[in-house]
DNA sequence: TCATTAAGCGTTG
DNA sequence: CAACGCTTAATGA
C-alpha cells in the first residue's frame, strides 16, 4: 500500500448524488496508463513497476489535490474530470495558470525540482487524479530514453504554450485571449484527449484567461456569433477548433 | 466622460 | 444549488 498525501478534504460523495455525466463508466487506472502515449515506450518491467507504484484518488468539485508549498513528490495525471493549476495564495487573489483536462499528465516540472510545489492543484469538477511517485518517475527518466524524450517534449510544449500566451496577451484583445485559452486545452502533446465539450463555467473561463466575468461573457458571445463555439449552461462546446486557433493567432 | 470591474441579487437550468 | 444575466457603485484612464 502506498503512502497517500495527507492533504485533501476527505469528502466522499454517495454515487446516487452524482450527476449522470459524473457517474458515467470511466477508465480504470490501468487502462488510463495504457492509453497514455509514454506508456507504450516502456519495457515490460518498467510498465509493471509503474502500474504497481501508481495510485489514484477521487476529488469532488472544488477539492484541492495538491497544496501550494507541499513537497512535489508525485507526477500527476488527470484520469477523469478536469483540474486546474493555480495560486491559491493566502495573500490576495487566486490566479489560474492552466486548466488540465482529463487524459493529461502534468507537474513534471515540479517533480524535477527539489523545491516545494509552487502551485495548487484544484478539481474543477468531480475528478480522479493519478499519482506517480517521484522515485518511479526519476527511475524511468534515468533509464528509458523514450520516456525522457517524452518528458522533454512535454516541457518544451509547456514552454511554447507560455510563449504563445504572452504573445497573444500582449497583442490581442479579450476575444482572442479566450480563444487562445480554449484552443490550448486541445494541445496535441499536453492535452491529447480533450472532450469537445468543456465543462467550464464562464467564471472559470475568465480565471483561465485572466478576464472578468463580464468580459469573458462578451468574448464568448463574440466567438459564438462567429460560429466557433456554442455556449451551454456551465459548459462550452467547441465547434470550430481550427477557427479558434486562427483567431487566437496560434502558431504566428 | 467613458470603460472596466467587483459585488449583490433575482432568475434559470 | 450553481451558473447566468443584469444592475450598481467604485475605480481609473
Amino acid at each position: 500500500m502506498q503512502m497517500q498525501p495527507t492533504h485533501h478534504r476527505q469528502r466522499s460523495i454517495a454515487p446516487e448524488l452524482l450527476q449522470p455525466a459524473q457517474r458515467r463508466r470511466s477508465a480504470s487506472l490501468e487502462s488510463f496508463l495504457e492509453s497514455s502515449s509514454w506508456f507504450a515506450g516502456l519495457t515490460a518491467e518498467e510498465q509493471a513497476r509503474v502500474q504497481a507504484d501508481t495510485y489514484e484518488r477521487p476529488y469532488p468539485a472544488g477539492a484541492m489535490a495538491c497544496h501550494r508549498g507541499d513537497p512535489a513528490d508525485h507526477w500527476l495525471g488527470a484520469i477523469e474530470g478536469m483540474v486546474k493549476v493555480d495560486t491559491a495564495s493566502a495573500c490576495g487573489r487566486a490566479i489560474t495558470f492552466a486548466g488540465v483536462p482529463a487524459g493529461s499528465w502534468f507537474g513534471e516540472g515540479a517533480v524535477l525540482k527539489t523545491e516545494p510545489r509552487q502551485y495548487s492543484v484544484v478539481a474543477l469538477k468531480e475528478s480522479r487524479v493519478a499519482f506517480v511517485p517521484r522515485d518511479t518517475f526519476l527511475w524511468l527518466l534515468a533509464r528509458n530514453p523514450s520516456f525522457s524524450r517524452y518528458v522533454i517534449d512535454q516541457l518544451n510544449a509547456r514552454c511554447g504554450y507560455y510563449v504563445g500566451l504572452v504573445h497573444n496577451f500582449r497583442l490581442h484583445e479579450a476575444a482572442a485571449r479566450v480563444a487562445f485559452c480554449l484552443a490550448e486545452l486541445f494541445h496535441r502533446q499536453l492535452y491529447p484527449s480533450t472532450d469537445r465539450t468543456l465543462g467550464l463555467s464562464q467564471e472559470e473561463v475568465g480565471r483561465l484567461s485572466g478576464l472578468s466575468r463580464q468580459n469573458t461573457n462578451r468574448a464568448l458571445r463574440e466567438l459564438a456569433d462567429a460560429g466557433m463555439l456554442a455556449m451551454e449552461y456551465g459548459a462550452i462546446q467547441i465547434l470550430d477548433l481550427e477557427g479558434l486557433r486562427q483567431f487566437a493567432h496560434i502558431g504566428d
Side-chain angles (χ1 to χ4, degrees):
Chain A
M1 199 52 181
Q2 273 288 333
M3 270 297 283
Q4 298 188 346
T6 57
H7 44 278
H8 42 66
R9 274 169 242 158
Q10 288 275 20
R11 256 190 295 146
S12 57
I13 291 188
E16 62 271 19
L17 294 181
L18 299 180
Q19 296 303 313
Q22 298 169 332
R23 207 189 310 137
R24 194 194 309 143
R25 182 75 192 105
S26 52
S28 67
L29 175 56
E30 190 180 357
S31 67
F32 175 66
L33 286 171
E34 279 162 7
S35 64
S36 298
S37 65
W38 53 269
F39 193 76
L42 306 186
T43 66
E45 179 199 3
E46 290 162 348
Q47 291 188 345
R49 173 164 176 186
V50 168
Q51 287 187 322
D53 292 353
T54 304
Y55 60 92
E56 68 166 278
R57 291 201 56 81
Y59 295 96
M64 207 173 280
C66 301
H67 280 95
R68 182 178 185 196
D70 287 347
D73 38 28
H74 296 276
W75 186 39
L76 308 173
I79 306 172
E80 186 190 12
M82 169 112 88
V83 301
K84 67 173 174 181
V85 177
D86 71 5
T87 54
S89 62
C91 56
R93 334 183 331 190
I95 295 179
T96 300
F97 287 97
V100 183
S104 326
W105 289 89
F106 63 104
E108 63 281 336
V111 202
L112 288 170
K113 294 185 257 184
T114 50
E115 346 173 318
R117 208 174 275 287
Q118 302 264 106
Y119 316 107
S120 310
V121 176
V122 178
L124 285 179
K125 53 184 183 176
E126 184 80 17
S127 301
R128 284 156 60 221
V129 177
F131 292 81
V132 177
R134 175 199 186 87
D135 287 348
T136 312
F137 178 84
L138 294 178
W139 179 74
L140 288 177
L141 193 64
R143 82 198 302 268
N144 187 315
S146 88
F147 185 77
S148 20
R149 175 55 198 248
Y150 168 85
V151 174
I152 290 171
D153 288 343
Q154 190 85 346
L155 292 169
N156 195 29
R158 242 176 256 295
C159 189
Y161 165 78
Y162 283 105
V163 169
L165 191 72
V166 172
H167 177 113
N168 177 285
F169 277 29
R170 294 262 165 93
L171 292 182
H172 306 293
E173 68 296 16
R177 287 200 195 190
V178 172
F180 181 90
C181 290
L182 293 179
E184 284 302 272
L185 291 177
F186 295 86
H187 193 291
R188 292 185 168 209
Q189 160 104 18
L190 295 176
Y191 312 122
S193 50
T194 310
D195 198 279
R196 291 186 78 77
T197 299
L198 299 164
L200 291 172
S201 71
Q202 298 182 7
E203 191 170 8
E204 278 309 330
V205 175
R207 285 209 193 82
L208 206 52
S209 42
L211 299 170
S212 67
R213 199 150 66 94
Q214 291 105 313
N215 249 332
T216 305
N217 181 271
R218 192 152 51 90
L220 285 173
R221 300 189 96 80
E222 213 172 299
L223 297 172
D225 286 345
M228 297 178 193
L229 54 82
M231 299 166 68
E232 295 171 13
Y233 187 81
I236 308 291
Q237 190 187 356
I238 304 300
L239 300 175
D240 179 8
L241 183 54
E242 269 320 302
L244 273 184
R245 290 206 167 110
Q246 283 181 16
F247 192 78
H249 298 88
I250 293 176
D252 286 6

